[in-house]
Amino acid sequence: SDIVLQPDAIYLKVDTIGLPRGVGVLDLVDESVLTDLSIACQHRVRAEYTAKKGLWYIVERASGVRGIPKHVRYQDALDAYPATAGKFTYPAGVTENNKYIFRDLTSMPHLLIAGSTDAGKSNMMHIIISSLIMRTSPRDLRILMVDLKGGIECAIYEGIPHLLPIDDVTETGIIYEREKTPAALDYLIAEGQQRMMKLKQEGYQNIENYNKHRTAHRMPRIMLVIDEWADIRLVSGLGPRAEDKLSNIASRMRA
């Protein structure tokens, strides 16, 4: 009774009032019926029914399970950035019907990327880092990296102005030895405490409001990136100390 064409899918409304005798809505949304329709259309077909909106068949235009492609080009994600996206927004992936999802790192207390071997964890890390350094300047963002794969992952970033060197810990802003990680976390805790004291003195609750009223002497956000956190966590004596410090940063220093 109605057809709506969208970039992600074709929506077909079914005239449930004029159904043949003995045919009910449940028959039309049966999984075997949807499977037959999907095969006939060569695209996934699903059904949605509510008492208010009625019954709709939805023919997804995109390929893959629920319209989610198996491979996503980073350039396509960059082209799809919303006009309202902030500096710290990165592409998180593609959801149903090939819709791009973006997330803002400043809205997260912390971010853990988990998955099986070759699932794309390091690739996701590179997407976040490259997206942020492309959209920010060093006066907005400084990055401290811990790479416990001997430089395989993070050495490519050596020399970029966003990195945060720490005296007696890392000259480049990238740490390659697990033993230096607690000292780097101590630095971040001390820096966070100084910043909180500064914000309190100036009468601000967060960095965003503080920076709004300044063109000079701004507070850059600091992003800590740790590749292979488990390699630190499982070391006897080192792991528990480092985890306590990281918990302190994740819970208190996000302010």
Side-chain angles (χ1 to χ4, degrees):
S1 61
D2 194 10
I3 299 176
V4 179
L5 302 177
Q6 296 289 341
D8 57 348
I10 301 172
Y11 297 77
L12 305 162
K13 188 173 185 180
V14 181
D15 180 9
T16 54
I17 297 177
L19 291 177
R21 182 181 296 274
V23 178
V25 172
L26 291 180
D27 299 313
L28 298 180
V29 299
D30 186 82
E31 283 299 324
S32 62
V33 173
L34 297 178
T35 300
D36 289 341
L37 289 173
S38 299
I39 293 173
C41 296
Q42 292 297 300
H43 286 269
R44 184 176 182 273
V45 177
R46 53 191 174 92
E48 288 184 1
Y49 174 77
T50 63
K52 185 176 181 180
K53 295 182 179 180
L55 173 62
W56 290 80
Y57 282 132
I58 303 170
V59 184
E60 298 179 350
R61 293 180 182 270
S63 59
V65 179
R66 297 187 70 84
I68 304 174
K70 293 182 179 180
H71 300 281
V72 182
R73 291 182 67 247
Y74 182 43
Q75 182 61 53
D76 293 339
L78 295 181
D79 294 340
Y81 256 99
T84 57
K87 292 181 179 179
F88 301 93
T89 299
Y90 66 91
V94 176
T95 184
E96 292 184 352
N97 296 318
N98 208 30
K99 291 182 179 178
Y100 284 89
I101 297 296
F102 295 87
R103 292 290 181 263
D104 192 327
L105 202 63
T106 60
S107 65
M108 303 178 184
H110 46 264
L111 172 63
L112 174 66
I113 304 174
S116 59
T117 303
D118 285 334
K121 299 185 297 296
S122 294
N123 193 42
M124 188 71 227
M125 179 188 74
H126 289 305
I127 286 172
I128 295 173
I129 295 173
S130 57
S131 298
L132 266 57
I133 63 178
M134 179 176 58
R135 297 172 62 84
T136 63
S137 69
R139 66 197 298 261
D140 297 316
L141 175 68
R142 303 303 297 273
I143 306 174
L144 178 63
M145 300 181 181
V146 178
D147 179 4
L148 302 182
K149 292 181 181 176
I152 291 177
E153 296 296 345
C154 296
I156 57 174
Y157 298 106
E158 283 191 6
I160 67 171
H162 293 76
L163 289 176
L164 177 64
I166 301 175
D167 292 338
D168 301 324
V169 178
T170 170
E171 295 180 358
T172 62
I174 305 176
I175 298 170
Y176 299 112
E177 301 86 16
R178 65 170 70 93
E179 292 76 15
K180 291 185 177 182
T181 303
L185 299 179
D186 283 334
Y187 169 85
L188 293 179
I189 292 173
E191 175 68 18
Q193 290 172 339
Q194 290 179 9
R195 289 184 170 205
M196 285 190 288
M197 190 177 300
K198 181 74 171 176
L199 292 175
K200 179 182 177 182
Q201 292 172 351
E202 298 288 340
Y204 297 105
Q205 290 187 322
N206 54 55
I207 289 179
E208 186 176 1
N209 290 334
Y210 179 88
N211 287 337
K212 274 183 181 179
H213 299 85
R214 283 168 173 76
T215 55
H217 306 295
R218 292 163 56 89
M219 257 186 214
R221 293 182 185 272
I222 298 177
M223 179 171 71
L224 169 65
V225 178
I226 302 178
D227 192 26
E228 296 297 342
W229 168 248
D231 193 51
I232 300 173
R233 180 63 185 87
L234 297 177
V235 177
S236 177
L238 179 65
R241 280 194 302 125
E243 187 167 39
D244 288 342
K245 299 176 190 298
L246 187 63
S247 298
N248 189 338
I249 294 171
S251 59
R252 295 175 61 226
M253 301 309 166
R254 63 178 295 246

